[in-house]
Amino acid sequence: MYKVLSCLMLIGIIIFSGCGPSKQVTRIDSDTVVDLSGRWNDTDSRMVAENMIADCLSHIWINNHNKSSGERPVVIVGGIRNKSTEHIPTQTFIGDIERAFVNSGKVEVVASSSERSELREERADQSENAAIETIKQMGREEGADYMLTGEINTIEDREGGKQIVFYQTDLTLTNIESNIKVWIGEKEIKKFIGKGKFKL
């Protein structure tokens, strides 16, 4: 009798759990702006990167470089530090920055240090295993003229279940040879998180 009751209870639990509310998944366009939590998201990353790189490439440094060298500047994206109060995938942000640089057609972008290590391993492997006419030579890497670095900070203000989050992204482009900063940019995002519409 005890075994029968146990089996019936187990069956009931399985049936009950199977009748619970199910999740509904809807595919949306990747460019759609969706702010569920109010935290930094893919839209913020892409928008900040595109706006800041457009500003960077509109300043006098790039014209000065083109006049002095006759070639497009070569840029490497260095470290972007997350000094905010939340987790921000800085590698995704770096990818958005590199994409904005490359798509502009105004600069050349070289691989990061970690990517270069992988490429060097591939060239070393080619020197031993690839056909001679297809081997890519060592010591032919393009040296960067400028390095872009920066950080993301946040300031938060909370009161009565409402919250305002202020994001500030600072980027600096520096001449690698001279250490001269040729461009400094700043982009701010302010978000209100709470029930209903924000009223001044």
Side-chain angles (χ1 to χ4, degrees):
M1 184 68 179
Y2 177 75
K3 289 183 179 179
V4 173
L5 288 174
S6 298
C7 290
L8 290 173
M9 288 178 63
L10 181 61
I11 292 170
I13 291 171
I14 293 171
I15 292 172
F16 180 77
S17 62
C19 295
S22 61
K23 290 184 179 179
Q24 181 179 353
V25 177
T26 304
R27 294 187 182 275
I28 58 175
D29 191 276
S30 58
D31 291 330
T32 303
V33 178
V34 180
D35 250 324
L36 296 178
S37 66
R39 297 186 181 92
W40 177 280
N41 57 33
D42 62 313
T43 300
D44 299 320
S45 178
R46 185 170 58 252
M47 180 191 71
V48 171
E50 290 175 354
N51 288 351
M52 295 193 78
I53 297 312
D55 179 69
C56 173
L57 297 176
S58 69
H59 280 68
I60 191 66
W61 72 270
I62 192 167
N63 291 330
N64 291 341
H65 179 92
N66 291 339
K67 287 179 182 178
S68 63
S69 71
E71 298 178 351
R72 290 186 299 174
V74 180
V75 175
I76 184 169
V77 181
I80 306 293
R81 292 177 293 173
N82 176 22
K83 300 181 72 176
S84 73
T85 55
E86 64 185 66
H87 171 70
I88 293 178
T90 54
Q91 199 56 47
T92 300
F93 183 52
I94 288 172
D96 288 331
I97 290 172
E98 290 181 330
R99 187 178 303 107
F101 265 139
V102 171
N103 290 345
S104 74
K106 295 181 178 180
V107 301
E108 294 179 348
V109 180
V110 295
S112 66
S113 58
S114 60
E115 291 170 328
R116 288 198 304 272
S117 296
E118 190 171 354
L119 289 165
R120 287 167 184 163
E121 288 178 9
E122 171 60 22
R123 284 195 293 271
D125 183 77
Q126 285 187 11
S127 68
E128 295 182 5
N129 301 298
I132 295 176
E133 62 273 13
T134 64
I135 292 175
K136 303 305 178 286
Q137 301 299 315
M138 293 285 193
R140 302 288 297 275
E141 297 177 14
E142 188 80 16
D145 302 305
Y146 304 91
M147 175 177 280
L148 187 78
T149 55
E151 61 184 39
I152 304 171
N153 287 280
T154 54
I155 300 174
E156 295 186 19
D157 188 20
R158 299 171 185 262
E159 179 65 32
K162 297 178 181 180
Q163 179 183 5
I164 289 180
V165 182
F166 176 84
Y167 296 90
Q168 180 171 316
T169 304
D170 297 287
L171 297 178
T172 302
L173 188 69
T174 306
N175 184 303
I176 292 177
E177 188 171 64
S178 66
N179 283 342
I180 294 175
K181 297 179 180 181
V182 297
W183 173 80
I184 297 175
E186 176 186 280
K187 178 66 179 176
E188 300 170 351
I189 298 175
K190 200 170 190 177
K191 295 186 178 184
F192 169 74
I193 305 167
K195 295 180 180 178
K197 294 183 177 179
F198 176 65
K199 295 181 180 180
L200 294 173

